[in-house]
Amino acid sequence: MEKYLKELENCTLCEWKCGANRLEGETGVCRVTLPEVASCTLHPAPPQSYTIFLAGCNYKCLNCQNWTISQYPDNKEKLRYEKIRGYVEPKELAEECLRNLNSLQGKRIGADRIFFSGGEPTINLPYIEKIVEEARKIDPSVKVNFDTNGFLTQRSLKRVLDFTTSITYDIKAYHDEVHRAITGAPAEPVLRNAEYIAKNAKDKLWEYRVLVIPKVNEDEIKPLSEFLASIHKSLQVCFLAFRPNFVLENHPGASRELMERCVEIANQAGLDNAYWSGTPGLSGEVLTIEDKVEDKYEIEEAKRAASYAYKAGCITHPRSCGNCGSNQDCDVKRYIPLDEESREIMRLIRFVKDLSEENQ
Ligand code: SF4
Ligand code: SF4
């Protein structure tokens, strides 16, 4: 066993603090034992980088666009065609990163940093630290970005801040029950860590990223903006337009009007650096709220998100994956959405249905 992985004997890297002995094959909420690389690629989206996607996540988000990676290894039986690179020696990966950053293609897109993403990279923090250590032996000035959902312990966050140049930080919701309904995890540690970064490491913050899902978290934009503005008005906040994905595969995407309204709301709350990106306007259908979860949540949008989770097989409401008896055998993690072709047929059927309703 590699010495730097020793702390996986009693894993408390993220706020679930499972204490699993991952070296002996025990798993916590993330279900990951040893670090596995899903894939690596030069990435032209800012901050331009050589991106390492690490398999596995401590959340079970309904909207995940990287669900093949994040819900690994539970979906691997059903995803036989998906390739996971697996464990790669840190030194080998560090050399690969620098080779790509210094390549013609890397220079052409302006890639200037190693970008750790996933899944959630926190669950493999000791591995990442080792890769960065090896990379900086070759080039001490190499930059590093950490892309996180914010659900890490304060100790882990401080370790991350020690080696990162920049942080991209996702926040899914302000209210706890909406956050739980979407992700399966509480909001408090995420807001706490967001505040810590803003107050203690603002220079490292690339941006907070808020995925805007119509009728699921759009009412969260105002309180979230007010929360961030109360810390610092100049914080960078990027609103991303939701595209139908994973469990929310049939839910409508965010419209352009909604995205523009988010920026307006953020400006009114006092944020000076709010903007949006993504592809708006994808069609879909909003799910009706399920009787089975209605009385478990107070907020309408939480009820709707939880209804999607319930339909996908989530048995614990309010959602709380850390305390759920099914967290080692979870149907949400095994959820497989329709492929693109079948989804296109569904869109066509919906279009024809809408048209015939209009003509009645
Ligand atoms: S969910 Fe978090 S604390 Fe639990 S095993 Fe995974 S990384 Fe460790
Ligand atoms: S069934 Fe349990 S582990 Fe799975 S998503 Fe629901 S709360 Fe989380």
Side-chain angles (χ1 to χ4, degrees):
M1 186 265 296
E2 307 288 350
K3 212 167 131 211
Y4 70 87
L5 291 177
K6 180 139 178 61
E7 70 180 295
L8 299 188
E9 267 179 357
N10 176 18
C11 184
T12 55
L13 288 167
C14 82
E15 275 292 334
W16 289 128
K17 298 178 186 156
C18 307
N21 186 344
R22 293 169 53 183
L23 297 181
E24 291 293 328
E26 277 178 28
T27 51
V29 177
C30 65
R31 303 272 298 130
V32 170
T33 51
L34 294 177
E36 288 193 81
V37 175
S39 63
C40 303
T41 185
L42 278 169
H43 212 293
Q48 293 89 334
S49 64
Y50 190 64
T51 299
I52 300 174
F53 293 96
L54 291 160
C57 188
N58 47 3
Y59 277 1
K60 294 165 180 62
C61 294
L62 307 172
N63 54 276
C64 187
Q65 64 166 2
N66 283 352
W67 61 273
T68 54
I69 296 173
S70 66
Q71 301 314 311
Y72 183 88
D74 292 275
N75 56 15
K76 80 176 172 191
E77 295 303 315
K78 291 187 180 168
L79 290 180
R80 280 189 208 107
Y81 56 90
E82 284 291 332
K83 296 257 184 302
I84 291 278
R85 261 180 83 177
Y87 179 80
V88 184
E89 284 297 335
K91 187 166 183 290
E92 183 188 331
L93 202 46
E95 286 166 358
E96 176 182 321
C97 289
L98 289 164
R99 206 167 47 247
N100 277 278
L101 289 175
N102 292 322
S103 68
L104 206 61
Q105 175 67 355
K107 300 269 182 227
R108 206 166 60 78
I109 66 164
D112 71 347
R113 66 198 67 203
I114 308 171
F115 189 113
F116 291 98
S117 186
E120 170 56 37
T122 300
I123 65 176
N124 290 309
L125 184 55
Y127 181 58
I128 291 170
E129 287 168 328
K130 192 70 182 164
I131 297 166
V132 174
E133 184 190 314
E134 293 293 341
R136 288 196 171 140
K137 277 185 199 163
I138 308 168
D139 176 359
S141 65
V142 69
K143 293 180 182 169
V144 173
N145 186 86
F146 197 81
D147 185 36
T148 182
N149 61 25
F151 196 68
L152 58 177
T153 62
Q154 281 168 300
R155 182 171 172 269
S156 292
L157 177 61
K158 284 177 188 157
R159 283 165 63 176
V160 167
L161 291 172
D162 275 349
F163 67 80
T164 42
T165 319
S166 57
I167 291 195
T168 40
Y169 193 104
D170 287 340
I171 311 180
K172 316 284 182 193
Y174 178 77
H175 289 106
D176 187 65
E177 62 171 67
V178 181
H179 196 277
R180 281 178 188 275
I182 296 172
T183 67
E188 189 280 326
V190 181
L191 300 177
R192 176 200 70 206
N193 289 339
E195 184 167 357
Y196 184 90
I197 295 169
K199 287 186 171 162
N200 299 284
K202 191 166 163 286
D203 56 319
K204 291 186 186 251
L205 178 72
W206 185 273
E207 63 193 8
Y208 294 115
R209 292 176 170 174
V210 183
L211 182 78
V212 180
I213 313 172
K215 310 240 180 280
V216 167
N217 73 346
E218 60 177 276
D219 294 346
E220 296 296 296
I221 303 307
K222 187 167 184 279
L224 202 47
S225 298
E226 288 168 351
F227 164 71
L228 294 173
S230 73
I231 307 168
H232 219 295
K233 292 190 183 317
S234 65
L235 295 172
Q236 307 260 102
V237 182
C238 178
F239 296 106
L240 297 161
F242 164 75
R243 287 184 305 176
N245 255 315
F246 195 41
V247 175
L248 300 187
E249 60 182 321
N250 295 316
H251 192 77
S255 65
R256 179 173 292 276
E257 296 71 43
L258 174 58
M259 298 314 294
E260 285 166 357
R261 200 162 69 240
C262 288
V263 175
E264 250 174 61
I265 291 169
N267 291 157
Q268 279 162 11
L271 289 169
D272 298 331
N273 284 314
Y275 40 93
W276 72 272
S277 74
T279 311
L282 296 173
S283 70
E285 230 170 322
V286 178
L287 187 72
T288 314
I289 290 169
E290 278 284 336
D291 294 347
K292 294 271 196 272
V293 299
E294 181 147 32
D295 61 345
K296 308 279 187 200
Y297 302 83
E298 284 180 5
I299 300 172
E300 185 82 359
E301 292 194 328
K303 292 180 188 199
R304 185 164 297 109
S307 300
Y308 279 107
Y310 175 79
K311 284 221 147 188
C314 177
I315 58 160
T316 300
H317 295 274
R319 292 180 82 201
S320 182
C321 301
N323 314 314
C324 171
S326 268
N327 67 17
Q328 298 300 299
D329 185 23
C330 167
D331 281 344
V332 177
K333 291 207 72 166
R334 288 189 293 260
Y335 188 88
I336 307 286
L338 290 177
D339 57 35
E340 212 25 70
E341 204 177 313
S342 316
R343 210 196 313 274
E344 200 46 50
I345 295 169
M346 292 294 287
R347 275 194 207 114
L348 253 156
I349 293 172
R350 213 160 31 232
F351 177 72
V352 173
K353 196 174 138 218
D354 288 351
L355 210 69
S356 71
E357 274 172 14
E358 264 174 39
N359 290 333
Q360 271 170 14

